[in-house]
Amino acid sequence: MQLALSKARKHYRDVLHNPPVGALIIKNNKIIGLGAHEKFGGAHAEINALKDAERRQESVEGSTIYITLEPCNHSGKTGPCTEAILNSKIKKVIIAEEDNKNGGLQYLKSHGIETEILPNEEARNLIKPWKIFNSSGMPSIDIAVHLGLNGKILDVNSNLDKKIQSLLQKNTQEVISDIKSINSDKNYHFGYYLKNSKDLSLLNNLLKENKAYLANLYIFRSLNFPQNGPNLTLSPQLYDNVLSLKKVSKFKNCILEQYINNKPCLLES
């Protein structure tokens, strides 16, 4: 499943309003097909994995396919992946994340294909912004902020800037330079490097008006700044490490509100 997830993430920025999905076909403990949904409107991950197996001149009959998201059971820009799986005589389908409105697994079960759900947190997080957009129409936004020892937002040109930009580019579809440029018609998951209180106010307005959902908040903390340069601390995964700063505790409470109660939260200046 990790290989399928890795393949899906490589095309995260290319799928527009579709979810990033990866698929891996295994037979006799050997990988015989690997694919991902590579672009909006293009073939889905399962189809590309089947095509890959064909290129390798491998028969998929009796094999097992691992898919990061439940296969589609409807006709859109492409045909149903469930029918392609059924026609290929794959024996077993293992997914990491369900698509409750889809009915793909039920269709496969009703046609005698063995199915299994193997929950995976990375797979869940990978499609979370897409699920939010699909259910609410709201784009998600990842915010990165650089805080000094006093807890105030810093706008400093340094090597840390490159790390922050790299993080946002890796985990989102588009990094924006203006908080007002969020546009769900283009993508559903944006990244923004928050550098001043004016931007913070604009961000709060977007969240209050339900025009965006705060998906992830990354706090970069400077230790002994500026004497020894900035050190990197990531949050929310490591938010306990920043509790010594009063200012940061407000960000921490915001993170907890989001992750424990699953509610969008507002940052405080």
Side-chain angles (χ1 to χ4, degrees), residues 73-88:
N73 192 38
H74 60 272
S75 294
K77 292 182 179 297
T78 61
C81 290
T82 50
E83 289 189 6
I85 292 171
L86 184 63
N87 293 335
S88 70

Side-chain angles (χ1 to χ4, degrees), residues 4-65:
L5 282 166
S6 177
K7 187 72 172 175
R9 188 171 287 282
K10 285 181 180 178
H11 298 282
Y12 187 73
R13 299 167 68 86
D14 306 318
V15 295
L16 195 65
H17 289 165
N18 285 349
V21 182
L24 177 74
I25 304 173
I26 291 182
K27 186 175 181 179
N28 298 326
N29 296 318
K30 175 186 175 183
I31 296 173
I32 62 171
L34 179 62
H37 180 38
E38 298 181 359
K39 64 179 181 178
F40 181 70
H44 288 187
E46 301 91 328
I47 306 303
N48 282 331
L50 288 168
K51 289 180 178 178
D52 186 43
E54 185 178 353
R55 281 192 293 268
R56 301 182 193 214
Q57 297 183 332
E58 296 281 1
S59 169
V60 300
E61 184 174 353
S63 64
T64 296
I65 185 169

Side-chain angles (χ1 to χ4, degrees), residues 144-146 154 156 161 164-165 168 176 191-195 199:
V145 61
H146 181 196
L154 295 176
V156 181
D161 281 358
I164 291 174
Q165 293 290 352
L168 292 173
I176 54 176
Y192 187 68
Y193 184 6
L194 185 67
K195 293 188 176 184
D199 288 349

